[in-house]
């Protein structure tokens, strides 16, 4: 959806609220009080009322907007900008676009949406052949937890990330679009997970949470991957001395997507702290995984209207990203 279409479809608060209510009406809802599933809509109060126990809940309850003071239209604008732009958008840019005085609320709003994106991708597992490798991402050190960092004053540290990408050999049926690519494999879905260390147990746990056990995994055969043969249907480990050969022929996509993701994060967001890196990775992967869809706004809205973020107000007070 382009900007013209967006402003036509959602010119004001009422149009956004009506649209959001239609989404909520169509979804299964559960009363948090008695677990009832049948509701009346009380038009005067703009709440759903449980038919059993008369518990009332707002339109925003049980969605990404729960507890939010932002208007529906402000949320819709953020959904639109986060789903329609190819590059990531910084919270300060979003603050400017919304004309908001305070940065923090806008930043939290965006983190909640990234959180929902991650939860959505978490519903699916990577399948068939999956490239797996560990990468280092630059993050800000966290020792200043109680004091917001001054821009440029934080010191950099490296955070380990497990990068996983479905990849397969290119077949003639893929057509010219794929074949013209310089890489000899094609990529499917991707995921990235922050990991605390490189121990085999840590990496196996992270990989099995994301990759279907019936899949085959492709790695550079380092010691952290020793358990893969026990938990996946297959494990191709390439331990050739020519590291570059392995990267370009066997593990091209984990390196390509990690490179793009780093560039995107470093180019847009200043000083991402380790504890928030996962949210930015989730946004990158979510958008990458839907790169061929032109209804990303609708998809994002559907996810956001049925999912409560783990991210809460006040989470990591000192964040200066
Ligand atoms: Zn109830």
């Amino acid at each position: 959806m382009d900007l013209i279409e967006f402003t036509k479809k959602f010119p004001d608060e009422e149009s956004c609220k009506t649209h959001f209510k239609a989404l909520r009406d169509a979804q299964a809802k559960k009363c948090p009080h008695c677990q009832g599933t049948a509701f009346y809509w009380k038009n005067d109060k703009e709440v759903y009322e449980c038919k059993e126990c008369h518990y009332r809940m707002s339109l925003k309850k049980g969605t990404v907007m729960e507890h939010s003071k932002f208007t529906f239209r402000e949320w819709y604008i953020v959904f639109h900008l986060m789903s329609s732009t190819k590059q990531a958008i910084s919270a300060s840019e979003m603050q400017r676009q919304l004309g908001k005085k305070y940065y923090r609320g806008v930043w939290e709003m965006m983190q909640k949406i990234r959180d929902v994106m991650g939860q959505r991708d978490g519903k699916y597992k990577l399948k068939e052949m999956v490239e797996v490798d560990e990468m280092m991402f630059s993050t800000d050190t966290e020792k200043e937890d109680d004091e917001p960092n001054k821009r440029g004053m934080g010191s950099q540290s490296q955070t380990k990330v497990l990068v996983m990408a479905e990849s397969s050999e290119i077949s003639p049926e893929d057509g010219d679009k794929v074949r013209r690519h310089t890489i000899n494999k094609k990529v499917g879905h991707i995921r990235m997970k922050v990991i605390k260390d490189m121990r085999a147990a840590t990496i196996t746990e992270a990989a099995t949470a994301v990759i279907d056990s019936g899949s085959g995994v492709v790695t550079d055969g380092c010691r952290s991957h020793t358990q893969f043969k026990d938990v996946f249907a297959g494990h191709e480990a390439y331990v050739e001395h020519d590291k570059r050969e392995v990267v370009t022929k066997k593990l091209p996509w984990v390196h390509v997507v990690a490179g793009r993701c780093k560039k995107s994060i470093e180019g847009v967001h200043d000083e991402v702290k380790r504890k928030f890196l996962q949210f930015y990775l989730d946004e990158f992967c979510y958008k990458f995984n839907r790169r061929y869809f032109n209804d990303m706004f609708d998809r994002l809205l559907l996810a956001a209207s049925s999912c409560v973020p783990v991210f809460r107000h006040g989470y990591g007070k000192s964040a200066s990203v």
Side-chain angles (χ1 to χ4, degrees), residues 130-134 162 164 199-208 211 213 215-237:
V130 183
E131 297 176 20
V132 181
D133 209 352
E134 302 80 23
L162 193 67
M164 295 155 277
R199 289 186 309 131
T202 305
I203 288 178
T204 306
E205 190 187 344
T208 48
I211 302 168
S213 60
S215 312
V217 291
V218 187
T219 74
D220 63 7
C222 83
R223 269 185 299 173
S224 310
H225 308 147
T226 47
Q227 298 173 3
F228 281 177
K229 62 179 186 325
D230 306 323
V231 293
F232 296 116
H235 178 202
E236 292 177 15

Side-chain angles (χ1 to χ4, degrees), residues 31-39 49-55:
C31 171
H33 190 242
C34 75
Q35 313 299 310
T37 53
F39 294 85
E49 185 174 303
C50 174
K51 284 188 178 177
E52 287 298 319
C53 74
H54 303 287
Y55 175 89

Side-chain angles (χ1 to χ4, degrees), residues 92-224:
S92 55
E93 181 60 41
M94 195 66 86
Q95 180 195 2
R96 219 173 359 254
Q97 295 293 332
L98 289 174
K100 286 284 167 190
K101 193 174 172 191
Y102 298 108
Y103 170 85
R104 175 120 208 133
V106 176
W107 177 82
E108 286 187 353
M109 194 183 194
M110 293 177 78
Q111 293 297 60
K112 287 178 183 175
I113 294 175
R114 293 184 182 110
D115 180 345
V116 164
M117 288 172 163
Q119 289 192 46
R120 194 64 172 189
D121 268 354
K123 287 180 187 293
Y124 313 101
K125 285 201 159 185
L126 300 183
K127 289 193 169 70
E128 297 182 18
M129 290 306 286
V130 183
E131 297 176 20
V132 181
D133 209 352
E134 302 80 23
M135 310 275 174
M136 304 299 264
F137 279 63
S138 296
T139 46
D140 210 38
T141 51
E142 285 179 54
K143 59 176 190 273
E144 314 84 346
D145 249 7
D146 304 322
E147 287 283 318
N149 283 343
K150 289 187 185 69
R151 185 158 291 197
M153 295 291 283
S155 52
Q156 295 282 296
S157 62
Q158 295 290 311
T159 295
K160 298 167 195 76
V161 173
L162 193 67
V163 182
M164 295 155 277
E166 289 173 346
S167 86
S168 52
E169 299 300 326
I170 295 170
S171 67
E173 296 92 70
D174 291 321
D176 289 343
K177 196 179 157 202
V178 178
R179 259 185 287 154
R180 269 205 304 274
H181 224 290
T182 48
I183 298 172
N184 66 343
K185 289 171 127 186
K186 62 180 177 184
V187 65
H189 296 96
I190 63 164
R191 295 283 296 284
M192 299 185 196
K193 283 280 162 202
V194 170
I195 45 174
K196 60 180 193 295
D197 55 55
M198 302 282 259
R199 289 186 309 131
T202 305
I203 288 178
T204 306
E205 190 187 344
T208 48
V210 169
I211 302 168
D212 186 85
S213 60
S215 312
V217 291
V218 187
T219 74
D220 63 7
C222 83
R223 269 185 299 173
S224 310

